[in-house]
């Protein structure tokens, strides 16, 4: 162990080094000439190691203390259970929206409503810039819950099987924390409670209704059964694929199968189209640029000796870049129409764009993803942050990420003891609720640190 005189000498040398590096900037802050003083404070604190004995910064320990208070934990879990019992599908989230507004009223938080039918946008802070967004989706799925527990869905055929009940509860928990720490906020946190993520592209309608007004960056979390409870996962760049669907009607001329030359066979044309679609990825795409085209539906006639007038085929396509995604869309239509013409048929391809079933890729801004990683180090520790692989799933958070810098990340809810091991959209989906207060703290820390660093 070093002697006390040696330790004092070492601390003195560290201070001299820091003073030399930041002396001019610190002086300009004191004189009111430096607009980046908040960021400078963070930088100096980081270099001086201003952390508690557990390695967490003061703001993080204070936020965690609020989130982990027994009353807060009880309230967040209670909110999640109430929402879980009464699931509502896309654009039907009226009771969920009402519950959110009641909670915001209780906290004394201002909000706008309705946006996109049932959406709510709340604001906490100074009311001025910078503005940072936090988003939670509200809608459930048309699934019959198979988990037998005290707070099982009370609505037949509907279930929160993707964790959106947890997302709302965590963001309401964050609202409570941020309101209690409003005097620390160097700007404004904007909380978006969004409808219709699963169907209907609620994000796009929220944007159309002005939900992103003034917001400079936005963040969202999704529960994940792939990671242990409270582990945070993300990655810079493409995280989730762009996703589209197609349905093609290939029309020929029906007739008896025993005299096929009197017919124009759409089954043959459709079969050729299915085979040709397979080459779009295997022969036209860069092998290092992951893409998917899958035909999942093929409907012809219902008689064994009659060639039908038409065949309907459909499927999905996915890619991690907008360029690849929209190129796939273009080529799918070309291939189906072209193959139909080869066999003397006609084809019409519908991509459901009017119904809002095109999702662009979700791409994490590099700086915003770094912010998630830094906050993870503060809240859960660097050892509980994982860089995840991209997934072919899709998210309408991608519409926000197309407009402003954004980051989408996961919080683990996997606990084998509790049985929370099933993937989203499973009737057996459940979560480890111990992740909820950590998620609330993480939301709050994301906002507070962002505002402090960008004031």
């Amino acid at each position: 162990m070093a002697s006390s005189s040696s330790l004092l000498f070492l601390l003195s040398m560290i201070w001299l080094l820091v003073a030399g590096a930041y002396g001019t900037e610190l002086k300009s802050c004191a004189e009111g000439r430096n607009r980046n003083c908040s960021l400078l404070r963070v930088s100096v604190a980081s270099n001086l190691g201003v952390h508690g004995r557990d390695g967490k910064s003061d703001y993080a320990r204070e936020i965690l203390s609020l989130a982990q208070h027994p009353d807060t934990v009880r309230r967040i879990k209670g909110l999640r259970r109430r929402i879980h019992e009464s699931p509502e599908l896309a654009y039907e989230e009226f009771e969920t929206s009402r519950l959110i507004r009641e909670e915001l009223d209780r906290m004394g938080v201002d909000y706008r409503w309705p946006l996109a039918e049932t959406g709510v946008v709340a604001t906490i802070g100074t009311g001025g810039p910078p503005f940072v967004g936090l988003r939670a989706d509200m809608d459930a799925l048309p699934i019959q819950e198979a988990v037998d527990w005290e707070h099982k869905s009370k609505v037949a055929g509907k279930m929160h099987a993707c964790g959106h009940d947890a997302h709302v509860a965590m963001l309401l928990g964050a609202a409570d924390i941020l309101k209690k720490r409003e005097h620390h906020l160097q700007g404004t946190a904007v909380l978006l409670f969004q409808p219709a993520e699963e169907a209907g592209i609620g994000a796009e309608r929220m944007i159309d209704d002005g939900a992103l007004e003034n917001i400079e960056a936005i963040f969202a979390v999704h529960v994940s059964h792939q990671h242990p409870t409270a582990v945070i996962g993300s990655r810079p760049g493409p995280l989730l694929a762009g996703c589209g669907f197609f349905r093609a009607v290939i029309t020929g001329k029906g007739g008896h199968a025993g005299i096929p030359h009197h017919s124009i066979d759409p089954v043959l044309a459709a079969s050729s189209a299915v085979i040709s679609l397979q080459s779009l990825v295997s022969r036209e795409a860069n092998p290092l640029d992951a893409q998917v085209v899958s035909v999942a539906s093929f409907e012809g006639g219902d008689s064994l000796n009659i060639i039908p007038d038409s065949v309907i085929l459909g499927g999905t396509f996915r890619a991690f870049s907008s360029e690849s995604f929209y190129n796939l869309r273009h080529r799918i239509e070309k291939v189906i129409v072209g193959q139909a013409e080869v066999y003397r048929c006609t084809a019409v391809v519908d991509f459901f764009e009017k119904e809002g079933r095109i999702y662009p890729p979700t791409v994490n801004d590099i700086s915003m993803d770094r912010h998630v990683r830094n906050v993870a180090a503060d809240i859960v520790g660097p050892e509980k942050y994982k860089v995840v692989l991209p997934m072919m799933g899709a998210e309408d958070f991608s519409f926000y990420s197309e407009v402003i810098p954004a980051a989408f990340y996961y919080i683990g809810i996997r606990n084998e003891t509790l049985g929370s091991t099933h993937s989203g959209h499973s009737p057996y989906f459940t979560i480890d609720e111990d992740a909820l207060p950590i998620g609330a703290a993480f939301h709050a820390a994301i906002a507070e640190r962002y505002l402090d660093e960008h004031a």
Side-chain angles (χ1 to χ4, degrees):
M1 181 179 292
S3 67
S4 58
S5 59
S6 298
L7 183 58
L8 287 172
F9 175 77
L10 179 60
L11 290 172
S12 299
M13 291 303 295
I14 292 173
W15 172 248
L16 287 172
L17 288 170
V18 172
Y22 294 101
T24 302
E25 289 84 351
L26 289 169
K27 182 180 178 182
S28 65
C29 278
E31 295 173 354
R33 295 184 289 105
N34 193 334
R35 298 178 63 188
N36 297 313
C37 292
S38 295
L39 183 58
L40 181 63
R41 287 195 299 271
V42 173
S43 181
V44 172
S46 177
N47 280 283
L48 285 175
V50 182
H51 290 79
R53 292 182 180 179
D54 56 2
K56 293 182 173 66
S57 61
D58 289 341
Y59 91 102
R61 285 189 285 109
E62 291 168 5
I63 286 175
L64 279 170
S65 177
L66 288 171
Q68 294 173 333
H69 189 280
D71 289 343
T72 304
V73 173
R74 190 160 43 247
R75 188 162 201 89
I76 295 173
K77 289 184 178 181
L79 287 168
R80 184 255 164 173
R81 292 169 181 178
R82 287 174 63 186
I83 297 168
H84 189 88
E85 288 178 345
S86 303
E88 298 170 299
L89 303 183
Y91 298 119
E92 298 175 0
E93 309 94 335
F94 298 105
E95 288 304 307
T96 305
S97 179
R98 181 185 59 78
L99 174 61
I100 290 167
R101 299 194 309 275
E102 287 177 354
E103 285 298 302
L104 295 173
D105 286 336
R106 180 186 63 81
M107 300 173 202
V109 172
D110 294 332
Y111 58 84
R112 287 185 290 146
W113 167 83
L115 290 83
E117 301 289 343
T118 59
V120 181
V121 174
T123 54
I124 303 171
T126 66
F131 292 83
V132 62
L134 305 172
R135 173 270 210 169
D137 38 16
M138 304 187 294
D139 55 324
L141 286 160
I143 293 174
Q144 180 63 44
E145 182 166 8
V147 182
D148 190 14
W149 68 304
E150 183 181 357
H151 300 283
K152 183 176 181 177
S153 170
K154 295 179 179 179
V155 184
K158 299 179 184 180
M159 175 189 177
H160 271 291
C162 202
H164 296 189
D165 51 345
H167 299 169
V168 172
M170 288 188 289
L171 192 54
L172 283 172
D176 197 28
I177 295 168
L178 289 168
K179 187 63 179 177
K180 290 173 180 175
R181 293 180 58 80
E182 193 167 27
H183 58 289
H184 289 288
L185 301 184
Q186 303 298 309
T188 307
V190 184
L191 283 57
L192 285 69
F193 297 90
Q194 176 210 305
E197 187 279 326
E198 298 290 358
I201 306 184
E204 189 171 46
R205 289 190 59 182
M206 290 284 283
I207 293 170
D208 290 343
D209 285 355
L212 290 186
E213 182 180 354
N214 297 321
I215 298 177
E216 302 166 12
I218 189 167
F219 301 85
V221 66
H222 202 295
V223 294
S224 171
H225 76 288
Q226 295 183 340
H227 306 291
T229 299
V231 168
I232 303 297
S234 188
R235 68 175 296 108
L239 177 70
L240 294 166
C243 172
F245 300 91
F246 63 92
R247 178 180 181 272
V249 179
I250 298 177
T251 303
K253 177 184 176 183
H256 198 284
I259 47 174
H261 56 293
H262 290 169
S263 302
I264 299 175
D265 191 350
V267 176
L268 184 60
S271 299
S272 181
V274 172
I275 297 299
S276 296
L277 287 172
Q278 308 311 304
S279 69
L280 296 186
V281 173
S282 67
R283 288 299 176 266
E284 296 185 18
N286 185 331
L288 301 179
D289 181 11
Q291 300 174 35
V292 168
V293 177
S294 292
V295 176
S297 174
F298 193 106
E299 302 173 22
D302 55 8
S303 177
L304 299 181
N305 66 341
I306 298 296
I307 294 172
D309 286 319
S310 63
V311 169
I312 301 173
L313 63 87
T316 185
F317 61 103
R318 303 180 182 226
F320 284 113
S321 74
S322 292
E323 181 181 0
S324 297
F325 179 73
Y326 289 106
N327 181 63
L328 276 181
R329 183 210 176 283
H330 171 74
R331 290 292 294 138
I332 288 168
E333 185 169 24
K334 283 284 188 181
V335 165
I336 293 174
V337 171
Q339 288 300 311
E341 289 178 352
V342 167
Y343 293 93
R344 301 176 297 147
C345 294
T346 60
V348 177
V349 186
D350 181 9
F351 289 93
F352 303 101
E353 286 158 315
K354 290 182 180 179
E355 292 85 352
R357 298 188 69 182
I358 292 281
Y359 291 71
T362 300
V363 181
N364 279 348
D365 178 86
I366 293 174
S367 295
M368 298 306 106
D369 180 76
R370 186 184 305 118
H371 182 66
V372 170
R373 184 184 300 217
N374 290 341
V375 171
D378 287 343
I379 295 295
V380 297
E383 71 284 356
K384 289 190 176 181
Y385 173 85
K386 306 298 181 185
V387 178
V388 300
L389 294 173
M391 294 175 58
M392 278 295 174
E395 239 284 351
D396 79 349
F397 185 77
S398 58
F399 287 92
Y400 301 120
S401 71
E402 284 194 319
V403 179
I404 56 175
F408 189 85
Y409 60 97
Y410 303 109
I411 185 167
I413 46 90
R414 184 180 184 86
N415 185 326
E416 287 84 356
T417 302
L418 298 176
S420 53
T421 59
H422 299 277
S423 65
H425 295 222
S426 164
Y428 297 96
F429 178 82
T430 187
I431 73 168
D432 181 354
E433 291 185 328
D434 285 347
L436 298 178
I438 301 299
F442 206 94
H443 265 314
I446 282 276
E448 183 171 325
R449 180 164 173 169
Y450 179 92
L451 295 175
D452 192 54
E453 293 180 358
H454 293 79

